[in-house]
Amino acid sequence: MSSESEATQTPPDMATLLALTATSVVLAKKVLVEPWAGYREPVNIYSATLLDPANRKSAVFADAKRPIELIEQELHDAALQSVAERQSERRQDQLRLNKLEKKTADEKDPEKRVAASEEASTLAKKLATTPEPVMPTLVVEDTTTEKLALLMHENGERLAVLSAEGGIFAAMGGRYSAKGGADDFEMYLKAHAGDSSKVHRISRSPVVLESPALTIGLAIQPEVIRGLAGKSAFRGRGLLGRFIYAYPESWIGKRKIRTVPMPKALELEYQSLIKRLFQIQPRPDGSPNIVRLNDEAANEFEEYCRWIEDELGAGELEMMRDWGGKLAGLTLRIAGLMHCVKHANSDPLSNSIDVETMRNAQHIAKWAIPHAAATFELLSCDIVPECVGDAVHVIRSLTKDSAQIPSTVTRRNIQRHGQSRFNNDATRLDNVLSLLEQANYLRRRSSAEKGGKVTYDVSPRFRAESSNVPIASLSPLSPDSGISRQERSTFKI
């Protein structure tokens, strides 16, 4: 992923999460992970990478998606003739049925009328029980819930929504709904868990899915999440808690101009990997293969689950239990995907998930915690663009000299360094200071210093990240920054 990041000058978080999502697309409904008897998790995931405009999301997204598009094109080419023939046969049957039904209604001879009626009945049953031939589909971008259910039904109850835009949230929120804009989450909730679902359609029979497996991969602007702030059902019903988020630091302003493209050999290796994973087949009866944890990995996962439970009680996950409550399941899904990648050249189905893979999956899951926290903060922020610009200005002034980042700063000093912005506009200064406190960059001291100066403690994240992040932004703390848990807790980062 480092080569993709370097070639596109984008955060490696985005390429990594999108590549992980690509493996989910081709393995969904083929593999279940079983840590111990009675508990199984599918491997389809919902992911969302958040970056502002001009961060080259589309370029990275296209590279991650390309192997899946190539597979889909191969499937189209292979199915084209067969589908065309069966569609023609179906049209002929439909025309024949129309003529028989008309003959049944018009025929005067009783014997001929009965014969036509019986033949029409037989043909009608054939049309009703024979699926309509369609071209295979692996990926869609933006569609109605009704169409999504139909496509999943037509494609073995497996599908992916991959998009560099946030239109899918509008569909979830009922933009296309016959219920007049009502929230339309049910399909997305059940297709993540693999629960049976029935989607009713206007003037048509419902689409019934026994065990759907939907993968979602998005690269969107933070504003898309912020736009959900007034729609409590998105979080209240657990939809947003099903996503793994990446909200990385933007590289804008620090990007190299001329970079080396990703080596062709690496690009082909990635495409070959995705194709090998796609070739893994379900069991002969169509059910997913079961991949189990070995004893050491199972014990490791059990301890990890205890840690999650502690954090849900009074720790990092306490304020986002909707997301944290699904973290163990997400970790298993990641472990299943990583296991299949690790053994792609041999046979992932004949091997158990080992403790190394489980620990790597846990590392990714823990990495995602501050990213999820920062994403959920967007739901409670009501920030105007001017205020964000002011906040970035203040952050730049504090990190200008990475060797001498202050541990405290006064309100007066911030005003002095932003005279053109804040002079004669105390409200504007108060707003940006409030935002920086909400984002946990600053913390106001309870008592004023000598002379009545209002003083703020500066978050340790500046000192930890200043060496490799010269321009900080309103994004989560890097999981590898070295900040202690005590400092994280103090600043709620």
Side-chain angles (χ1 to χ4, degrees), residues 24 28-29 42-46 145 148-149 152 157-161 172 185-199 209-216 239 242 333:
S24 169
K29 210 168 167 61
V43 295
N44 55 301
I45 63 172
Y46 289 5
T145 301
L148 180 68
M152 294 192 76
E157 300 192 349
R158 181 178 62 245
L159 197 69
V161 176
M172 293 174 179
F185 299 150
E186 204 71 27
M187 177 65 202
Y188 298 94
L189 298 176
K190 291 185 175 181
H192 179 269
D195 295 336
S196 61
S197 176
K198 179 185 288 187
V199 177
L209 302 173
E210 296 298 329
S211 180
L214 179 66
T215 297
I216 298 179
L239 181 61
R242 283 164 163 77
R333 294 178 188 224

Side-chain angles (χ1 to χ4, degrees), residues 36 298-318 320-321 323-331 358-359 361-370 372 479 484-486 488 493:
W36 46 71
N299 292 335
E300 176 77 18
F301 180 66
E302 185 177 3
E303 287 300 313
Y304 173 71
C305 289
R306 290 195 183 99
W307 174 83
I308 289 177
E309 196 65 22
D310 289 342
E311 295 300 313
L312 288 169
E316 289 182 277
L317 302 174
E318 182 182 6
M320 48 178 187
R321 289 175 175 172
W323 186 85
K326 295 178 176 61
L327 188 58
L330 172 64
T331 306
M358 178 51 61
R359 287 172 179 164
Q362 291 174 16
H363 177 79
I364 292 175
K366 289 181 177 180
W367 160 87
I369 292 173
S484 71
R485 179 170 177 174
Q486 177 61 36
R488 286 174 184 262
I493 296 174

Side-chain angles (χ1 to χ4, degrees), residues 143-152 154 159 199 201:
T143 185
T144 67
T145 301
E146 181 181 312
K147 182 64 173 177
L148 180 68
L150 181 61
L151 284 169
M152 294 192 76
E154 294 172 343
L159 197 69
V199 177
R201 301 185 293 168

Side-chain angles (χ1 to χ4, degrees), residues 123-265:
L123 199 51
K125 289 177 183 178
K126 175 187 174 183
L127 288 168
T129 56
T130 304
E132 187 170 350
V134 294
M135 296 297 287
T137 301
L138 299 180
V139 176
V140 295
E141 286 195 15
D142 184 13
T143 185
T144 67
T145 301
E146 181 181 312
K147 182 64 173 177
L148 180 68
L150 181 61
L151 284 169
M152 294 192 76
H153 181 72
E154 294 172 343
N155 290 276
E157 300 192 349
R158 181 178 62 245
L159 197 69
V161 176
L162 303 180
S163 177
E165 303 295 338
I168 189 64
F169 285 111
M172 293 174 179
R175 180 178 68 188
Y176 303 114
S177 176
K179 295 176 284 189
D183 299 328
D184 210 1
F185 299 150
E186 204 71 27
M187 177 65 202
Y188 298 94
L189 298 176
K190 291 185 175 181
H192 179 269
D195 295 336
S196 61
S197 176
K198 179 185 288 187
V199 177
H200 293 276
R201 301 185 293 168
I202 300 174
S203 303
R204 293 186 181 183
S205 59
V207 176
V208 179
L209 302 173
E210 296 298 329
S211 180
L214 179 66
T215 297
I216 298 179
L218 307 174
I220 56 178
Q221 299 174 19
E223 190 61 34
V224 172
I225 299 297
R226 189 177 289 122
L228 304 177
K231 301 175 181 179
S232 59
F234 273 87
R235 189 169 185 185
R237 293 191 60 190
L239 181 61
L240 295 182
R242 283 164 163 77
F243 280 79
I244 177 173
Y245 298 95
Y247 192 174
E249 189 84 37
S250 170
W251 284 20
I252 291 179
K254 303 165 285 185
R255 295 180 295 193
K256 299 175 184 177
I257 303 304
R258 181 179 293 186
T259 60
V260 178
M262 177 187 283
K264 191 66 177 178

Side-chain angles (χ1 to χ4, degrees), residues 9 41 54 67 114 152 166 182 204 208 261 293 378 382 398 445 470:
Q9 288 296 285
E41 281 284 344
V114 169
M152 294 192 76
R204 293 186 181 183
V208 179
L293 277 60
L378 293 172
D382 185 14
L398 289 170
R445 291 191 170 181

